[in-house]
Amino acid sequence: GGPAEAEPLRYPGRRLEKGDRVNQRVQGVFLDDYYGILGRCFSIGEADEETKRLWSCAVGAQEAGAAALRPGATVADAAAAVSRYLTEKGFPEDDTANIYGIVYRIGEAPVRYQASERMILKPGMVLAVTPKLCVKGQDPFCCADAYRITEEGCVRLTRTSRELSEIRGW
């Protein structure tokens, strides 16, 4: 999570230091053949105010996209909601909301939808909403979770907290 020009780190790379940010993204197939995703951000030691603000914006972008996931809406509606949120927060316009279709067979890759995707959403569909908040000179901030479309809207399937984790005692 340090300056982008320092990436990628080669093993053993530089040691993590107090104040560094670490991104974690986990994707997998579980016992019921369902593809899942989780993306979180960690700070080594107490996070500075800018890191806290940017992580809050990453979570907010995801929430904006998820709020648009409802029957009859489209992936494009959710992508537009992410884009509106980020531009309102002062970030450059971006057409990559990073919304993925969750798949159901081992070996099948998830589908990354284009921001213009007009596919109509229906109850029972599962999508991953993983917008990336890009800041010059840093790795992106990305909050990633899976959502199931219901009759009333959507439900976040991931139970992991979306708070910025500060790893203390470093």
Side-chain angles (χ1 to χ4, degrees), residues 40-117:
R40 293 296 184 266
C41 181
F42 298 84
S43 175
I44 306 299
E46 185 175 347
D48 62 28
E49 291 306 312
E50 183 67 355
T51 297
K52 291 176 184 177
R53 181 185 77 80
L54 292 170
W55 178 248
S56 178
C57 287
V59 172
Q62 184 194 66
E63 289 174 344
L69 298 177
R70 61 187 175 282
T74 66
V75 170
D77 296 329
V82 168
S83 183
R84 271 192 310 277
Y85 176 88
L86 291 175
T87 54
E88 287 171 6
K89 294 291 183 183
F91 295 96
E93 199 165 325
D94 185 352
D95 67 351
T96 56
N98 292 316
I99 298 174
Y100 295 83
I102 301 295
V103 298
Y104 299 95
R105 288 187 296 275
I106 292 178
E108 184 178 357
V111 177
R112 182 173 180 265
Y113 293 113
Q114 298 299 317
S116 60
E117 176 65 50

Side-chain angles (χ1 to χ4, degrees), residues 3 8 15-16 27 43 66 100 103 116 129 133 151:
R15 294 180 63 111
L16 290 173
Q27 299 170 309
S43 175
Y100 295 83
V103 298
S116 60
V129 182
L133 189 149
E151 294 289 345

